[in-house]
């Protein structure tokens, strides 16, 4: 904390709900030797406001350092906040505390779940608050440490659970509150902790994270017939790099952030893309391009922001977009006075760059898009650093058609498949559909 204090008078701790912001404030309150004041911005009282107002007068350099912890600071920090009186008092404290950012007598820790871009600029500038701390759970080893700490606080021995590492590796997007909920639920459903199994943890995970439950594709990744070479390429350029990225402790990632699947109609692009999303094992946000566009001015851009925000909250996440050409057509192609298409493409690029260039948890996000009109997509979307991996699914040749028929007929009754085999040699099929 002292190192951070040298570069400013406060730090904003942000992260999504349940990640541990309030717990961090509690630890700071119990461990620091400074004079501590804790305020919940959702339930701030008049008396607390009066006490804070006196700080602008009583902040002499010789006085003991004061640590001000503000929980639920979302209601205070956001632009247009209704707590104008509290905001003015805090700004006055920041400006009057010791008159210098090198050794402030008042240091603030504000915990919120907002992105820093939503915070009022009155707080963020040199000499006030210019430090940010993102709380996140990036990988399975961090989730394992959290789960072990929760079990340790409940005096539950860890020797009975040799499967926790495997469980945490697949618990993508789960935070401390989710882990605590799973343990509490198991204590209710199965009173003896020594009887807990991996299946019990998996069942509680599905019940407690319905909002992040992956959507099951129509077909599994290995159930696509006549696509052996394409499946091998997917494993090489998508699946294996992402597995290495998640298991690695370094910040360097070789995994692709954007993949475009394209080809003629009916070859199974959408189903195959959804199967890839399922195979990666991340949480999923699945949208159709036609659902994003709206005739109401500004509504399309709002839909794009909402979709990317949902993907950020579910990180690590696969954002699957069907009919990408309907969302980001070539700019200038639409002859409308409002230039709505240009604004939608610009908004999409802004959100995409904000996520794909991030080194935080949001960087564990992959965009899988599908189209049968690659030439209609704005070229800026398809440049390196954005969507830069392309997967072409052609119409099946004779060998692939034979494998497709064999796979389709495999699940049919024998009385159907036997005559069908005799009647298909001369049949010409252009696609699985």
């Amino acid at each position: 904390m002292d190192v951070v204090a040298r570069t400013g008078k406060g730090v904003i701790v942000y992260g999504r709900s349940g990640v541990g912001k309030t717990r961090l404030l509690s630890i700071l309150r119990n461990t620091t030797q400074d004079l501590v004041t804790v305020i919940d911005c959702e339930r701030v009282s008049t008396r607390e406001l009066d006490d804070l107002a006196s700080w602008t007068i009583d902040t002499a350099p010789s006085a003991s350092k004061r640590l001000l912890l503000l929980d639920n600071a979302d209601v205070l920090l956001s632009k247009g906040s209704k707590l104008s009186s509290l905001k003015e008092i805090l700004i006055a404290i920041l400006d009057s505390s010791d008159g210098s950012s090198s050794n402030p007598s008042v240091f603030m820790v504000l915990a919120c779940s907002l992105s820093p871009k939503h915070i009022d600029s009155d707080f963020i500038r040199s000499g006030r608050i210019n430090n940010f701390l993102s709380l996140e759970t990036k990988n399975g080893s961090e989730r394992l440490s959290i789960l072990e700490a929760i079990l340790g606080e409940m005096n539950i021995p860890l020797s009975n659970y040799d499967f926790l590492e495997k469980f945490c590796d697949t618990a993508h997007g789960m935070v401390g509150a989710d882990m605590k909920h799973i343990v509490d639920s198991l204590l209710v459903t199965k009173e003896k902790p020594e009887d807990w199994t991996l299946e019990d943890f998996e069942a509680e995970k599905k019940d407690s994270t319905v909002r992040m439950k992956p959507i099951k594709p129509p077909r599994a990744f290995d159930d696509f017939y006549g696509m052996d070479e394409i499946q091998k390429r997917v494993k090489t350029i998508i699946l294996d790099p992402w597995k290495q990225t998640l298991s690695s402790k370094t910040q360097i990632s070789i995994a692709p952030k954007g993949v475009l699947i394209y080809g003629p109609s009916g070859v199974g692009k959408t189903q195959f893309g959804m199967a890839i999303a399922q195979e990666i094992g991340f949480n999923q946000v699945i949208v159709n391009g036609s659902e994003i566009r709206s005739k109401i001015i500004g509504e399309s851009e709002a839909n794009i922001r909402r979709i990317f925000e949902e993907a950020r909250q579910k990180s690590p996440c696969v954002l699957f977009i069907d009919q990408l050409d309907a969302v980001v057509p070539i700019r200038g192609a639409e002859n409308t006075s409002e230039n709505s298409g240009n604004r939608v493409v610009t908004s999409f690029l802004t959100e995409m760059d904000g996520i794909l260039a991030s080194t935080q948890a949001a960087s564990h996000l992959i965009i899988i898009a599908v189209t049968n009109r690659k030439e209609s997509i704005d070229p800026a979307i398809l440049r390196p650093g954005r969507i830069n991996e392309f997967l072409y699914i052609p119409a099946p040749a004779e060998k692939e058609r034979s494998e497709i028929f064999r796979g389709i007929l495999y699940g049919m009754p024998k009385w159907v498949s036997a005559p069908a085999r005799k009647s298909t040699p001369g049949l010409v099929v252009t696609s699985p559909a």
Side-chain angles (χ1 to χ4, degrees), residues 154-193:
M154 297 182 174
N155 296 321
I156 299 176
L158 302 176
S159 57
N160 298 327
Y161 315 118
D162 55 355
F163 52 81
L164 291 183
E165 183 175 358
K166 180 179 180 181
F167 168 74
C168 291
D169 284 340
T170 59
H172 300 298
M174 297 188 69
V175 294
D178 298 322
M179 298 290 188
K180 183 67 164 57
H181 175 75
I182 288 176
V183 175
D184 291 340
S185 299
L186 286 173
L187 287 172
V188 175
T189 57
K190 299 188 72 172
E191 296 183 1
K192 296 182 178 180

Side-chain angles (χ1 to χ4, degrees), residues 4 74 130 134 185 207 271 290 299 341 345 380 386 390 394 415 418:
V4 179
D74 305 69
N130 51 6
S134 172
S185 299
D207 292 339
Q271 291 190 15
S290 59
E299 188 70 20
V345 174
R386 291 171 180 163
F390 304 98
W415 63 270

Side-chain angles (χ1 to χ4, degrees), residues 130-429:
N130 51 6
N131 299 295
F132 299 92
L133 175 63
S134 172
L135 293 188
E136 57 190 71
T137 51
K138 297 179 181 178
N139 50 47
S141 60
E142 293 181 357
R143 289 188 290 270
L144 178 61
S145 300
I146 294 172
L147 183 55
E148 289 178 343
I150 292 173
L151 294 173
E153 289 179 353
M154 297 182 174
N155 296 321
I156 299 176
L158 302 176
S159 57
N160 298 327
Y161 315 118
D162 55 355
F163 52 81
L164 291 183
E165 183 175 358
K166 180 179 180 181
F167 168 74
C168 291
D169 284 340
T170 59
H172 300 298
M174 297 188 69
V175 294
D178 298 322
M179 298 290 188
K180 183 67 164 57
H181 175 75
I182 288 176
V183 175
D184 291 340
S185 299
L186 286 173
L187 287 172
V188 175
T189 57
K190 299 188 72 172
E191 296 183 1
K192 296 182 178 180
E194 59 270 18
D195 295 335
W196 294 351
T197 63
L198 176 60
E199 289 72 22
D200 295 329
F201 276 82
E202 292 289 350
E204 292 296 337
K205 179 178 72 172
K206 292 180 179 179
D207 292 339
S208 62
T209 58
V210 175
R211 65 185 176 87
M212 294 187 291
K213 188 176 180 180
I215 300 174
K216 189 175 181 179
R219 290 178 180 272
F221 178 75
D222 295 326
D223 290 343
F224 284 82
Y225 307 104
M227 301 178 67
D228 294 343
E229 293 300 321
I230 297 176
Q231 288 171 321
K232 290 179 181 178
R233 185 161 182 260
V234 168
K235 291 180 180 179
T236 302
I237 67 173
I238 301 176
L239 301 181
D240 292 343
W242 270 110
K243 290 179 181 179
Q244 294 176 11
T245 298
L246 292 178
S247 60
S248 174
K249 295 182 180 180
T250 64
Q251 295 291 332
I252 302 175
S253 173
I254 60 174
K257 299 295 184 67
V259 178
L260 179 68
I261 303 174
Y262 67 103
S265 299
V267 295
K269 300 183 298 297
T270 299
Q271 291 190 15
F272 191 61
M274 294 177 68
I276 294 175
Q278 177 76 9
E279 191 71 13
I280 293 175
F282 288 179
N283 306 310
Q284 299 166 23
V285 174
I286 298 180
V287 296
N288 192 301
S290 59
E291 298 173 353
I292 297 177
R293 297 298 294 265
S294 174
K295 293 182 179 180
I296 302 175
I297 297 178
E299 188 70 20
S300 299
E301 296 92 312
N303 289 337
I304 290 174
R305 289 192 294 269
R306 174 182 56 79
I307 290 168
F308 276 89
E309 182 63 29
E310 183 179 357
R312 275 190 289 266
Q313 293 175 355
K314 292 184 177 182
S315 177
C317 178
V318 175
L319 176 55
F320 180 84
I321 305 176
D322 198 7
Q323 300 180 28
L324 180 65
D325 54 284
V327 184
V328 285
I330 296 177
R331 282 173 285 188
E334 293 185 354
N335 296 321
T336 60
S337 58
E338 299 86 0
N339 290 324
S340 59
N342 295 358
R343 294 201 307 272
V344 170
V345 174
T346 302
S347 179
F348 191 92
L349 289 171
T350 302
E351 293 293 337
M352 180 186 290
D353 291 342
I355 282 186
L356 301 187
S358 173
T359 59
Q360 305 299 329
S363 62
H364 284 169
L365 183 144
I366 177 173
I367 298 175
I368 299 179
V370 174
T371 183
N372 59 354
R373 300 170 58 202
K374 178 186 175 185
E375 69 282 356
S376 300
I377 299 175
D378 192 273
I381 302 291
L382 307 180
R383 72 160 177 76
R386 291 171 180 163
I387 295 179
N388 56 357
E389 289 289 349
F390 304 98
L391 196 64
Y392 177 65
I393 302 181
E398 182 177 352
K399 178 183 177 182
E400 285 75 23
R401 292 197 296 268
S402 176
E403 293 179 2
I404 291 169
F405 264 108
R406 191 176 294 111
I408 293 174
L409 296 175
Y410 178 79
M412 292 185 177
K414 292 183 178 179
W415 63 270
V416 174
S417 59
R421 290 195 184 95
K422 298 178 182 179
S423 62
T424 56
L427 183 62
V428 177
V429 181

